[in-house]
Amino acid sequence: MTAVSSLVDLDDSDALIAADREGSLRSAALAGAQVRAVATAVDESVLARLADLRPRSVVIVTGDGRSSRAASLLVAALGDRLGVPLVRSTGTPPWIGPLDVVVVAGDDAGDPRLAESVDAASRRGAEVVVVAPEEGPLRAVPGARVMWLPPRIAVRDHNALMRYLAAFVAVLGAVAGGSWKSLLPNLSRLADLLDAEAVRNSPSNEVFHNPAKALASGLNGRRVVLTGSGPAAVEVARHGSEVLLRVAGVVVGAGELGDVIAASVRASAVESLGAPRTFDSFFHDEQLDGPPPALPMRVVVVASEADRMMTERRIAGVPESELLLTESGEALFGGERARAEFGNPAASSGPDTLSMLDTMSVLATRLDTTAAYLLLMGGS
């Protein structure tokens, strides 16, 4: 099989940096900084008014883009474990009242849906947290009970997933006297994890030592489907599909694991019936022999370490399949050097201590960086 050629050599760090005129790699590397900025806002008591509140529900109202995906990821990971209903909505529901917390999140301060949601929730006496730019029509909405978590780190819109996820986690950690904190990732530690992932995905690291480059190389020129081992992992797969399309113009499917396995097996059977028994790219002549057979569909499964064995069994019969996992042990945290650099003594406890959201956040950030590398390679 002949591979699609790249415009930029992934192992040429100088060429990659020179080609990145839009700052895609830098933007993708700021996931940890976004989480740390939210943690700083929490330390500044921005959400102090929520501390003694035991809400009837927490409703997350989102606009388009990464805020919506972050809310879906949070609900998938924690929705059945909290002692309160966690609801994702596109507007403030009519039943909202003084006992509820409403989080309104989006990139566009001029989005009328967000302004209307803040106004409705405020008028009904709910506690309102706005995770959006503090400007424009949204800022003009009156409300004495509105708390603001505006962006402090400038990134491209498609790289804002971690800012929204961190803000939602901060709200859940603030209410009910912090009684749910044991279920939530520690934001400072999560920021360290994402910084360590950014270091591993740096342009200066060669493909063999760079998981984002390795993934980009494997996806380049291929038909690819992303899926996940569970609900939260499927949301990360859908995030990856959306970001790859938006950033690099790469069309990557995403779906539930069962559907993807069935589709892959069916596609493999169809291809085997229509493909020639042998193919040698050296002797192949398209004018005489027709177009070369297409490369088989590749299935990439986002998974946590806890789901690894079960997922491997499920995809054992799927050709061209692989798991997308966080690296184990020292590889994940970069060893003693990373612990010294990021000041993260908890890292020594290894990957078994990572929560589902920790793991999914690292893999979502890896997909963001993969999209940036595919853009620099020329997309597909």
Side-chain angles (χ1 to χ4, degrees):
M1 297 288 181
T2 55
V4 176
S5 61
S6 169
L7 298 181
V8 177
D9 182 359
L10 285 178
D11 283 336
D12 189 342
S13 60
D14 292 336
L16 285 170
I17 294 171
D20 190 19
R21 298 182 183 88
E22 299 177 359
S24 298
L25 289 173
R26 180 182 182 278
S27 180
L30 290 175
Q34 294 180 75
V35 173
R36 192 168 286 106
V38 173
T40 300
V42 173
D43 291 341
E44 294 170 357
S45 301
V46 171
L47 303 176
R49 200 163 67 241
L50 299 177
D52 298 325
L53 182 67
R54 297 191 176 276
R56 177 179 61 175
S57 70
V58 176
V59 178
I60 304 176
V61 178
T62 62
D64 299 327
R66 298 311 90 201
S67 61
S68 177
R69 186 58 61 204
S72 297
L73 173 56
L74 186 74
V75 172
L78 297 174
D80 60 347
R81 301 177 64 192
L82 298 175
V84 65
L86 181 62
V87 181
R88 174 183 171 270
S89 178
T90 56
T92 298
W95 46 264
I96 287 294
L99 299 178
D100 301 301
V101 174
V102 178
V103 184
V104 180
D107 298 318
D108 185 3
D111 187 341
R113 285 189 303 152
L114 300 184
E116 291 166 4
S117 297
V118 172
D119 181 53
S122 182
R123 283 189 288 102
R124 294 170 191 163
E127 297 288 351
V128 184
V129 181
V130 181
V131 188
E134 194 173 0
E135 60 190 27
L138 193 57
R139 184 68 181 92
V141 176
R145 308 185 72 82
V146 176
M147 293 159 275
W148 286 86
L149 280 174
R152 296 186 176 186
I153 304 295
V155 297
R156 303 178 74 184
D157 290 348
H158 56 265
N159 294 133
L161 180 78
M162 287 301 106
R163 172 166 67 87
Y164 291 116
L165 186 62
F168 301 157
V169 167
V171 170
L172 292 177
V175 298
S179 59
W180 301 329
K181 281 188 176 180
S182 61
L183 300 176
L184 302 169
N186 178 281
L187 292 183
S188 295
R189 181 169 181 261
L190 176 57
D192 290 343
L193 283 170
L194 296 176
D195 282 345
E197 178 70 13
V199 170
R200 298 181 68 239
N201 293 328
S202 167
S204 60
N205 290 335
E206 297 179 350
V207 172
F208 185 74
H209 300 289
N210 189 316
K213 282 185 180 181
L215 185 57
S217 178
L219 300 185
N220 189 36
R222 297 292 298 272
R223 294 179 301 144
V224 179
V225 178
L226 291 173
T227 184
S229 61
V234 170
E235 293 300 329
V236 172
R238 288 172 175 152
H239 163 75
S241 173
E242 293 159 356
V243 171
L244 287 165
L245 176 62
R246 174 167 177 173
V247 175
V250 178
V251 180
V252 174
E256 303 283 347
L257 181 56
D259 294 335
V260 172
I261 291 174
S264 177
V265 172
R266 177 61 60 85
S268 178
V270 171
E271 288 167 357
S272 63
L273 289 175
R277 290 179 178 269
T278 59
F279 172 77
D280 190 328
S281 60
F282 184 79
F283 294 104
H284 185 81
D285 187 330
E286 290 194 17
Q287 293 183 350
L288 297 177
D289 304 320
L295 292 171
M297 183 172 70
R298 188 168 194 176
V299 175
V300 178
V301 186
V302 178
S304 65
E305 191 65 35
D307 296 333
R308 180 173 190 159
M309 291 183 63
M310 180 61 69
T311 307
E312 286 178 340
R313 292 193 188 103
R314 294 187 68 184
I315 65 173
V318 178
E320 294 289 324
S321 62
E322 65 174 298
L323 293 183
L324 183 62
L325 298 157
T326 52
E327 302 298 319
S328 60
E330 295 298 298
L332 174 60
F333 294 98
E336 297 295 333
R337 183 182 65 81
R339 288 197 287 275
E341 182 175 353
F342 298 118
N344 184 19
S348 60
S349 57
D352 291 340
T353 64
L354 296 186
S355 70
M356 175 64 71
L357 279 179
D358 285 327
T359 301
M360 294 301 109
S361 297
V362 170
L363 296 179
T365 301
R366 185 176 301 172
L367 287 166
D368 284 355
T369 311
T370 298
Y373 280 124
L374 279 170
L375 170 66
L376 300 179
M377 293 171 72
S380 179

Short mmCIF file of all heavy atoms in Angstrom, two decimals, residues 200 239 354:
data_model
loop_
_atom_site.label_atom_id
_atom_site.label_comp_id
_atom_site.label_asym_id
_atom_site.label_seq_id
_atom_site.Cartn_x
_atom_site.Cartn_y
_atom_site.Cartn_z
N ARG A 200 5.07 15.69 26.52
CA ARG A 200 5.29 14.47 25.74
C ARG A 200 4.92 14.67 24.27
O ARG A 200 5.50 14.05 23.38
CB ARG A 200 4.48 13.32 26.33
CG ARG A 200 4.87 12.97 27.75
CD ARG A 200 4.06 11.81 28.32
NE ARG A 200 4.41 10.59 27.62
CZ ARG A 200 3.53 9.85 26.95
NH1 ARG A 200 2.28 10.21 26.87
NH2 ARG A 200 3.93 8.73 26.36
N HIS A 239 -15.66 14.14 20.53
CA HIS A 239 -14.87 15.38 20.57
C HIS A 239 -13.73 15.31 19.57
O HIS A 239 -13.49 16.24 18.80
CB HIS A 239 -14.33 15.61 21.98
CG HIS A 239 -13.21 16.59 22.05
ND1 HIS A 239 -13.39 17.94 21.94
CD2 HIS A 239 -11.86 16.41 22.20
CE1 HIS A 239 -12.22 18.57 22.02
NE2 HIS A 239 -11.28 17.66 22.17
N LEU A 354 -5.81 7.50 38.87
CA LEU A 354 -6.46 8.47 38.01
C LEU A 354 -7.96 8.22 37.95
O LEU A 354 -8.40 7.08 37.79
CB LEU A 354 -5.88 8.40 36.59
CG LEU A 354 -4.41 8.75 36.40
CD1 LEU A 354 -4.08 8.76 34.92
CD2 LEU A 354 -4.08 10.08 37.02
#
